[in-house]
Amino acid sequence: MIIAAGGGRRIGGPEALLCQGEKPLVSTMIDTMTAAGCEQIVVVLGAAADQVQETADLTPATVVVNRAWGTGVGSSIKAGLAAIDDDAIEAVVVVPVDMPGLTAAAVQRVAALPYPDVLVCATYGGLRGYPMLFGRRHWSGIATLASADVGARPYLLAHKDQIVDISCDTVADGSRVDSPELMALYGLTIPPQRVGA
């Protein structure tokens, strides 16, 4: 699941419109998840959803538009979990679109044990980050507790003894682009937005 719904208040435009060169970052993330072997890819859009769908190739993914994106990432996680329609899928990898340093190797490392009762978090420098792996048995609890801008954090805190931490320092960059300085560092741009987009 790729969360690409935010309005990007700190970076001057929706995260889903971020481009690295000519390629939308959301398309790069789909490629990364595909290379990691993910069977079904769900992209949750929100801000500027119409413009994103016109400019990025999202055909390999199931696209969900979260009309409540302004309430925070919690609503996007709920929408994404609800869109996974294959009962054979026992766990879901969750990543935000604003991680240009994410690699297929990191996704594979976190998703190595895709069982229904797992909770896995990537760590960078000992701090938890994305990707995260949520086993199916946790989905309803995560959806119930997911709120505002903290997403799955309340559920993870309540189940912290069950979380498996997987170090990804050597295979990926866990930084999220949340400032114009980081955008410049990664060579990212946001195209002009149309009025009403």
Side-chain angles (χ1 to χ4, degrees):
M1 182 196 311
I2 301 168
I3 304 293
R9 186 176 62 250
R10 295 189 198 102
I11 59 172
E15 289 114 358
L17 291 177
L18 284 167
C19 289
Q20 205 159 29
E22 295 296 311
K23 188 169 185 177
L25 196 55
V26 66
S27 298
T28 301
M29 295 297 272
I30 290 172
D31 292 346
T32 298
M33 300 293 267
T34 301
C38 296
E39 293 173 23
Q40 179 184 1
I41 299 170
V42 174
V43 175
V44 183
L45 299 178
D50 292 344
Q51 189 172 351
V52 176
Q53 291 181 88
E54 288 171 14
T55 57
D57 178 12
L58 305 177
T59 50
T62 300
V63 177
V64 179
V65 178
N66 174 21
R67 301 290 176 198
W69 65 267
T71 63
V73 70
S75 62
S76 294
I77 291 173
K78 289 179 193 177
L81 289 173
I84 300 172
D85 53 13
D86 184 345
D87 292 339
I89 294 176
E90 297 195 325
V92 61
V93 181
V94 179
V95 298
V97 74
D98 58 357
M99 271 183 80
L102 183 71
T103 63
V107 175
Q108 288 172 326
R109 191 173 280 195
V110 169
L113 300 171
Y115 300 126
D117 55 352
V118 299
L119 287 172
V120 182
C121 288
T123 64
Y124 304 90
L127 300 175
R128 286 181 178 149
Y130 291 95
M132 296 180 182
L133 181 71
F134 302 150
R136 181 178 280 275
R137 287 184 192 150
H138 297 284
W139 294 0
S140 63
I142 289 170
T144 299
L145 291 180
S147 62
D149 275 339
V150 294
R153 195 177 306 156
Y155 187 87
L156 295 176
L157 285 172
H159 296 80
K160 61 180 182 286
D161 295 338
Q162 297 177 42
I163 298 172
V164 176
D165 291 324
I166 303 289
S167 173
C168 290
D169 297 89
T170 59
V171 295
D173 176 351
S175 301
R176 295 185 62 186
V177 176
D178 59 2
S179 70
E181 293 76 22
L182 281 175
M183 282 181 61
L185 181 67
Y186 287 100
L188 299 172
T189 57
I190 294 180
Q193 291 143 65
R194 299 188 309 271
V195 175

